Amino acid sequence: MILEMDCGNSLIKWRVLCEKTCASMGGGAVDTPDRLLEELHAMESLQLSFCRFVSVRSEEETQQLSMSIGNDFAIPVAVAKPSTSLAGVTNGYDDYQRLGLDRWMAIVAAYSLSKRACIVLDLGTAVTCDLVSREGRHLGGYICPGVPLMRDQLRTHTRRIRYDMASAEKALTLLEPGRSTVEAVERGCALMMRSFVATQVAMAAEFIGMEMDVFLTGGDAVLASEAINNAHIVPDLVFQGLAIACPQPGRS
């Protein structure tokens, strides 16, 4: 079994894959390494042989997590590293080490799936957009607040905006003008996000041409897909890139 992890600033997303079939055997998201270890040890018949992960956390936190997993399960652990090129993609940042590793994994995975010009949109707490040319040159990208950040900013700076997530989900069943605060906020944020995504796709055509693939990943990928025709929704795009960057020892 292979353990894969995507360690963001706030959550650690993880899954366990069957070594032979690559089918998911479990997974989730936790806020601390200790909680991750608890959930792993609670899995029945867990027999890990390898771990790979990508992390945007500090070097100290990343190293500690690597050691904890390696020691607890007595397995080799591979951590994705920055690179100037990988799997036919050239890193487009002036300082290649400054490109977020989760973004880099998603970019590499998307180009490996597409083999032509593509745009990669990760719609989570923040929204990132990256452009890749037909030749595999990463042209750079854009970052803006995602729906969770926009929502939280309104809640923080506007005293009367208070509602729960159940109300937020119900408000998004329609996008007509809101007749309550929760409807107005949620629909407004959703429309801003969709407008940003549609603008990015239109701008991408100027840089990489009309013949391109659009990849969506992240928690709001489905919501954004309604603004784009023929987009590819790939929830595990970062994990797919991680498998390319950190193949299992003994396998190419």
Side-chain angles (χ1 to χ4, degrees), residues 199-218:
T199 299
Q200 293 305 303
V201 174
M203 288 181 61
E206 301 178 18
F207 292 100
I208 59 179
M210 296 293 293
E211 295 296 321
M212 63 176 170
D213 288 320
V214 179
F215 290 90
L216 303 177
T217 192

Side-chain angles (χ1 to χ4, degrees), residues 177-221:
R179 297 173 63 85
S180 66
T181 299
V182 61
E183 290 179 350
V185 170
E186 290 300 314
R187 294 172 188 179
C189 289
L191 288 172
M192 285 188 69
M193 183 266 290
R194 288 187 183 183
S195 295
F196 175 81
V197 169
T199 299
Q200 293 305 303
V201 174
M203 288 181 61
E206 301 178 18
F207 292 100
I208 59 179
M210 296 293 293
E211 295 296 321
M212 63 176 170
D213 288 320
V214 179
F215 290 90
L216 303 177
T217 192
D220 285 319

Side-chain angles (χ1 to χ4, degrees), residues 155-175:
R155 285 175 170 173
T156 299
H157 297 287
T158 309
R159 293 182 180 180
R160 294 193 177 186
I161 295 181
R162 297 288 185 274
Y163 54 84
D164 56 33
M165 288 309 299
S167 299
E169 292 176 4
K170 184 178 179 181
L172 286 173
T173 56
L174 297 172
L175 286 179

Side-chain angles (χ1 to χ4, degrees), residues 19 52 57 66 86 88 103 111 125 136 139 144 180 183 185 187 215 230 236 241:
E19 193 169 338
R52 56 185 169 225
R57 301 189 175 195
S66 177
L86 179 63
R103 285 173 65 193
Y111 187 73
T125 303
L139 303 182
C144 75
S180 66
E183 290 179 350
V185 170
R187 294 172 188 179
F215 290 90
N230 302 317
D236 65 345

Side-chain angles (χ1 to χ4, degrees), residues 120-133:
V120 185
L121 288 142
D122 190 335
L123 300 118
T125 303
V127 174
T128 62
C129 173
D130 288 283
L131 282 66
V132 185
S133 74

Side-chain angles (χ1 to χ4, degrees), residues 25-177:
M25 304 181 70
V30 294
D31 55 356
T32 67
D34 287 343
R35 182 59 183 159
L36 170 66
L37 292 172
E38 288 177 13
E39 294 198 2
L40 288 172
H41 284 298
M43 288 186 67
E44 295 184 5
S45 304
L46 182 67
Q47 295 182 332
L48 295 177
S49 59
F50 178 56
C51 171
R52 56 185 169 225
F53 72 97
V54 56
S55 173
V56 298
R57 301 189 175 195
S58 70
E59 185 174 344
E60 181 180 356
E61 288 178 287
T62 300
Q63 186 176 35
Q64 182 59 51
L65 179 56
S66 177
M67 291 176 60
S68 296
I69 294 294
N71 292 337
D72 267 38
F73 297 97
I75 57 173
V77 179
V79 184
K81 302 293 184 184
S83 56
T84 56
S85 62
L86 179 63
V89 185
T90 303
N91 192 314
Y93 260 30
D94 293 332
D95 180 355
Y96 75 94
Q97 298 185 78
R98 300 293 295 176
L99 176 62
L101 276 170
D102 50 351
R103 285 173 65 193
W104 181 227
M105 295 299 97
I107 292 165
V108 168
Y111 187 73
S112 295
L113 291 170
S114 176
K115 298 300 183 185
R116 67 172 187 168
C118 57
I119 176 173
V120 185
L121 288 142
D122 190 335
L123 300 118
T125 303
V127 174
T128 62
C129 173
D130 288 283
L131 282 66
V132 185
S133 74
R134 179 168 55 87
E135 299 78 19
R137 288 189 303 112
H138 172 226
L139 303 182
Y142 303 90
I143 304 174
C144 75
V147 170
L149 279 179
M150 288 190 282
R151 179 192 297 123
D152 289 347
Q153 283 296 303
L154 285 170
R155 285 175 170 173
T156 299
H157 297 287
T158 309
R159 293 182 180 180
R160 294 193 177 186
I161 295 181
R162 297 288 185 274
Y163 54 84
D164 56 33
M165 288 309 299
S167 299
E169 292 176 4
K170 184 178 179 181
L172 286 173
T173 56
L174 297 172
L175 286 179
E176 64 186 30

